Each structure stands twice: as structure tokens, then as C-alpha cells.
């Protein structure tokens, strides 16, 4: 059967490679459950070859003048922008996310970060410092590229994740071997070709294909100096553990169960919009989702009513239609996982179902594309009267499932304690007109990414990373570049003052 996309395999030495193993898998269109392309799993010798290609390219790339590296990466950002809609279409096929999202967020935010880091290194971002110790002695520091780095991606923002890892990595002078999620691999070799077209030399950005075993082999490869990982907490723990054995640098961008706090004086329409964004954007498949929505008792009824009105404006359906703003879940296993949480919420947690549920969405039966009935479609679901110990409140569902938790208006201290009562600490947010109170609350929340009166925006300038089990390190912003260099400090003494502990007594 001919598939919509040509087969994908590894990419290294500046070109697409032929299959290096007999094993392969298919990537599936989540809207219809139909296959999109065959993907050849990269064998261990193929991974070795990709790492060798990156190792060979490292000396010249790391020695390339910053301004020249910047120019090449800026060109890649321009190509990404020029091909935005074509790449967004691929992402929509692969992830199921509506084109209205992928064409305005996924490629754009990836290209922004590439441009940001290119400009940063072109503008002196890799300069070290000079510290004058005394008139004839000083310390100078240099920022040095790490070497071959591994990037391992999740499926929810495929090209964005690939760019958020490779942009600072390459800008800092490293080379990369990138493994996309096996559920969404289509963007990976397209990105490699765009880098090549922009002038990135062969071996600087490479791709291997496959699942957890490919990621695990890459992580423990002795020639890999750093692993930047995005995925679940449980996988991140394995990856960080394996990398620790080789004393490798790591960045871990992991899951969350973030608190979206509505304070009693909040503008209720703004707060409802925030809660909608924090739960239903990307069909709830956003790591920073604010799935625990804390609502004061005084406005709970009004908040629920407005939420129900808003949910009616979610437009699921043809993912390529620019008016659609809600797609299917990414894969069959993920669909089954989300449905099992919804059923658990009803049957075991006994939360009150405000809307949605585990049934197939009603619109599916009359949709013009009959294949959609096989897709991984769910209905936006809201539970209310939830309590802190329910499983749906404690565990990351990663789907369009909101839990409403109420609190006594005057008890902000226990509200904060409840918001922090979780092992993860990725994001949090507060809605209020009282900005003093907003800063006080934000200051006490245990999360690395926080918002006041908005939700979800993550511009290139903003460093993002989780606290607690949600991760280690940050991506983006000025600190994002530091994650891809190692420091060397040199003390120069022009007075010839060698310590004399070994002088003759
Ligand atoms: P996952 O952990 O299942 O897989 C992530 C990647 O790890 C995939 O490429 C997978 O093949 C690979 N992998 C699996 N086992 C491995 C192993 N032992 N060694 C090395 N690699 C291995 O995660 P997922 O389901 O793809 O993504 C969803 C998760 O990602 C959610 O928890 C979400 O919160 C998180 N996420 C976090 C951020 C962030 O910035 N913090 C961003 C996006 C997604």
C-alpha cells in the first residue's frame, strides 16, 4: 500500500541513510488511525555511525567563528519561516493537532528560538568574563562547547522540541544526534535537510529513529557528552540515571500536574479563558497544563456556568480546517490511557462529571470523513467537586481533562499548601486583580514556570524548566545557552608569585 509520506530512516554524514536494520514501524495519523509512513529503526551500528559523524564534525564546527555560526542558523530560521505551512501540515498529520495551532505555534516558536540563540552567540553571548584579582593577576573564563550531544524528544511538540534542543546546542558549537519520539518522527529528517540547506556542515545535526531502546543506547553512548531529554518523569529518571554513570551533563524537561489558581477577586471571564487554555489547548497534551484548577467557593457556581458556555465553543473536526481548534489525541495507547483516567474519575474517584466523559464525541458519527470514526477522538471533560487525593487530581493525564477543586475564600495559606502538595513542580499560575497578592502567591508556589493573569505563552526569551520531579535545568532565555557549554577558569599571575610550600626550609 502506498503511504502519504516516503519512508524515513536515520540522517547522518549530511544525508539520509538507507535502512540500517530490518526492523521498522509506522507513524499513524491520529485523526483517522491510518498509517502515514514507514520508519526504519536505526540499528546500534547505525547509532554508532551517527555519533561518529557528530564527533568528526565537532572540531571544525566548534571552531567556526560565532558570527558565522549565527549567520548559518539565522538562515535556517528563515527557511523554517518560509516553509511554515508545509511543515505545519506535516506536524498536523503526525500529531493530530489542528492546523490552526501547528501553523501559528509549533514551527514559529521553534524558529523564534533558533533566531534568538543565533543572535545571542553572534552578539557575544559566548563571551567569558575577566576578574581582576590584584594589579598583576587576574582570572579569565571561557565558555567551551561540550562535544556530541543527544537530544531525545516527546511527541507533543515535535519540531518545536527538536529546535529548542538543537538551536542552543548548535549555536554553542556542539554537534547533535537527535531522536524524535517514535510516535511523531516525520519532522526530524525535514529539519536535518533544512539545516543542511542553510549551510550547517555534514555531521553537525544528525537523526536516529526508534523507540526507548534507541534512546537508551544513545544516552549511554561513551562519546555523548550531554543528554537533553523531554518526556515523562518515569522515563526521565531512567535517562538521568544512565547519563549519571558517564557523568554526562543533562537537561530534563519532564511532566507536571500544575495548579491554576483563581483568586476570589479575579476577572472571571479572564480566569475562565485561562483555565480553558490551561486544559484544552492541544487537546490537553501540553506539559505545563494547569489541570488542577482551584476556584474560591464564592464564585464556584458562576465559574462552572461560564466554563460550560465556553466549552461549547471548542471546535473539533477536520484538523486541516483553519476554524478547527481541537484535534484527536496523539496515539492509540495514549487515547486508551486518557479514557481510563476519565473512567477512573467517574467510577473510582467519584468526582462529579460537569461535562464530557468517556463516550465517543457525538459529532463523529455524522462527520464527512468516515475514517475519523477510527481516530483517537475524545470529548473535553471537566470534573468538579474534586478532592486532593483523587487519582485524576494527583497524576498527569496529559489529555483534555480538567479537575475543579474549591477552597474557602479567606484561606490562602492552605490553598498554597494544597497547590504545592505534589511531587512535580513544572508550572503554576494565578488569576487576580490584586497584583501584590499575585506576587505573594507566586513567590510561594513550588514551580519553575509561572504566569500571572495569562497561561501557556513560552517565548524564546523566557527560561523554562521544572522544579521537583519535573526536571533539571532550563531551556530558552539566557540561561538556556549556559546549559550547552562548560566553563574553564584561568588564573594568570604576571608577578610570578608561585606558592612556595615546597621551598627549602
Ligand atoms: P516518554 O517519556 O514516553 O518518551 C519521550 C522520549 O523518550 C521518546 O522519544 C521515547 O522514545 C524516549 N525513551 C523512552 N524510553 C527511553 C529510555 N529508556 N531511554 C532513553 N529514551 C527513552 O514521553 P512522551 O509520552 O513521549 O511525552 C509526554 C511527556 O512529556 C509528558 O509527561 C509531558 O509532560 C512531557 N513533556 C514535558 C515537557 C517539558 O518541557 N517539561 C515538554 C513536552 C512534554
Amino acid at each position: 500500500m502506498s503511504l502519504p509520506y516516503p519512508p524515513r530512516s536515520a540522517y547522518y554524514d549530511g544525508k539520509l541513510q538507507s535502512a540500517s536494520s530490518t526492523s521498522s514501524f509506522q507513524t499513524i495519523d491520529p485523526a483517522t488511525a491510518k498509517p502515514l509512513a514507514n520508519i526504519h529503526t536505526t540499528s546500534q551500528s547505525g547509532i554508532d555511525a551517527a555519533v561518529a559523524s557528530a564527533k568528526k564534525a565537532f572540531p571544525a564546527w566548534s571552531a567556526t567563528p560565532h558570527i558565522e555560526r549565527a549567520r548559518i542558523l539565522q538562515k535556517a530560521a528563515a527557511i523554517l519561516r518560509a516553509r511554515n505551512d508545509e511543515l505545519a501540515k506535516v506536524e498536523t498529520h503526525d500529531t493530530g493537532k489542528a492546523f490552526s495551532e501547528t501553523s501559528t505555534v509549533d514551527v514559529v516558536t521553534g524558529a523564534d528560538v533558533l533566531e534568538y540563540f543565533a543572535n545571542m552567540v553572534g552578539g557575544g553571548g559566548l563571551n567569558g568574563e575577566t576578574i581582576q584579582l590584584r594589579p598583576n593577576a587576574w582570572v579569565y573564563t571561557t565558555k567551551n562547547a561540550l562535544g556530541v550531544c543527544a537530544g531525545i524528544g516527546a511527541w507533543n511538540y515535535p519540531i518545536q522540541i527538536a529546535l529548542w534542543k538543537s538551536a542552543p546546542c548548535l549555536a554553542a558549537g556542539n554537534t547533535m544526534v537527535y531522536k524524535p519520539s517514535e510516535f511523531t518522527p516525520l519532522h526530524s529528517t525535514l529539519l536535518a535537510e533544512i539545516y543542511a540547506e542553510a549551510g550547517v556542515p555534514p555531521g553537525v545535526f544528525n537523526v536516529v529513529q526508534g523507540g526507548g531502546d534507541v534512546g537508551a543506547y544513545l544516552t549511554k553512548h561513551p562519546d555523548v557528552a550531554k543528554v537533553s531529554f523531554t518526556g515523562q518523569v518515569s522515563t526521565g529518571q531512567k535517562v538521568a540515571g544512565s547519563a549519571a554513570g558517564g557523568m554526562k551533563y543533562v537537561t530534563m524537561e519532564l511532566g507536571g500536574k500544575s495548579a491554576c489558581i483563581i483568586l476570589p477577586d479575579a476577572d472571571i471571564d479572564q480566569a475562565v479563558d485561562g483555565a480553558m487554555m490551561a486544559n484544552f489547548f492541544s487537546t490537553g497534551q501540553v506539559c505545563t497544563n494547569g489541570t488542577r484548577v482551584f476556584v474560591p467557593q464564592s464564585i464556584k457556581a458562576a465559574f462552572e456556568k461560564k466554563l460550560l458556555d465556553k466549552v461549547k465553543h471548542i471546535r473539533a473536526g477536520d484538523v486541516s480546517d483553519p476554524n478547527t481548534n481541537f484535534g484527536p489525541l496523539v496515539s492509540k495507547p495514549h487515547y486508551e490511557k486518557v479514557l481510563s483516567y476519565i473512567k477512573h474519575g467517574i467510577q473510582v474517584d467519584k468526582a462529579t462529571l460537569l461535562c464530557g466523559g468517556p463516550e465517543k464525541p457525538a459529532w463523529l458519527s455524522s462527520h464527512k470523513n468516515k475514517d475519523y470514526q477510527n481516530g483517537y477522538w475524545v470529548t473535553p471533560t471537566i470534573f468538579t467537586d474534586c478532592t486532593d487525593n483523587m487519582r485524576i487530581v494527583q497524576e498527569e493525564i496529559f489529555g483534555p481533562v480538567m479537575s475543579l477543586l474549591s477552597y474557602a475564600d479567606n484561606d490562602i495559606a492552605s490553598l498554597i499548601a494544597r497547590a504545592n502538595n505534589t511531587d512535580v513542580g513544572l508550572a503554576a499560575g494565578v488569576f487576580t486583580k490584586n497584583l501584590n497578592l499575585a506576587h505573594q502567591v507566586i513567590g510561594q508556589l513550588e514551580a519553575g514556570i509561572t504566569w500571572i493573569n495569562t497561561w501557556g505563552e513560552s517565548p524564546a526569551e523566557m527560561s523554562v524548566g521544572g522544579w521537583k520531579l519535573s526536571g533539571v535545568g532550563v531551556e530558552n532565555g539566557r540561561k538556556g545557552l549556559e546549559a550547552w557549554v562548560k566553563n574553564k577558569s584561568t588564573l594568570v599571575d604576571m608577578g610570578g608569585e608561585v606558592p612556595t610550600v615546597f621551598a627549602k626550609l
Side-chain angles (χ1 to χ4, degrees), residues 152-157 161 179-183 210-216 219 229-233 235-236 238-239 253-256 286-287 396 398 426 470 475:
I152 300 178
W155 45 254
N156 63 330
Y157 277 91
I161 290 173
K179 189 198 87 62
S181 164
E182 61 274 37
F183 292 106
D213 48 346
V214 172
T219 299
F229 173 83
T230 299
Q232 302 184 48
V233 171
T235 320
K238 287 186 219 160
V239 174
E253 298 289 345
L254 311 177
V286 184
C287 54
E396 184 185 45
F398 219 51
L426 187 57
S470 289
E475 288 184 331

Side-chain angles (χ1 to χ4, degrees), residues 109 113 116-117 160-161 164-165 168 226 228-230 250-254 286-288 425-428 447-451 455-467 470-481 483-484:
T109 53
V113 165
Y116 176 77
F117 283 117
Q160 185 208 64
I161 290 173
W164 284 19
K165 295 190 184 311
K226 167 172 179 151
S228 176
F229 173 83
T230 299
V250 291
T251 300
M252 292 281 140
E253 298 289 345
L254 311 177
V286 184
C287 54
T288 51
L426 187 57
I449 308 165
T450 57
W451 291 284
W455 197 282
E457 193 183 357
S458 192
E461 296 87 342
M462 182 176 179
S463 293
V464 285
W467 287 13
S470 289
V472 175
V474 295
E475 288 184 331
N476 298 345
R478 286 149 67 101
K479 292 195 184 316
L481 191 63
W484 297 91

Side-chain angles (χ1 to χ4, degrees), residues 85-235:
D85 284 8
E86 170 210 335
L87 295 164
K89 218 174 271 175
V90 174
E91 291 295 74
T92 286
H93 273 149
D94 219 11
T95 62
K97 297 203 286 186
F99 181 73
S100 63
E101 251 187 59
T102 55
S103 60
T104 53
V105 177
D106 295 48
V107 189
V108 177
T109 53
D112 280 355
V113 165
L114 187 54
E115 195 172 3
Y116 176 77
F117 283 117
N119 289 343
M120 189 182 284
V121 301
L126 289 171
N127 289 352
E129 37 173 18
T130 306
I131 305 141
Q132 194 74 46
L133 287 180
R134 38 187 190 267
N136 57 4
W138 76 96
V139 172
Y140 68 88
T141 67
T142 53
K143 294 179 184 179
N144 304 270
L146 302 171
V148 179
C149 301
I152 300 178
W155 45 254
N156 63 330
Y157 277 91
I159 199 165
Q160 185 208 64
I161 290 173
L163 283 157
W164 284 19
K165 295 190 184 311
S166 60
C169 172
L170 269 49
N174 304 286
T175 57
M176 173 165 266
V177 179
Y178 167 66
K179 189 198 87 62
S181 164
E182 61 274 37
F183 292 106
T184 54
L186 291 182
H187 67 288
S188 56
T189 47
L190 291 174
L191 178 59
E193 284 163 359
I194 288 170
Y195 273 137
E197 185 187 337
V200 170
V204 171
F205 181 79
N206 311 277
V207 177
V208 293
Q209 307 283 0
D213 48 346
V214 172
Y217 186 81
L218 183 60
T219 299
K220 67 172 195 303
H221 200 291
D223 287 335
V224 166
K226 167 172 179 151
V227 184
S228 176
F229 173 83
T230 299
Q232 302 184 48
V233 171
S234 56
T235 320

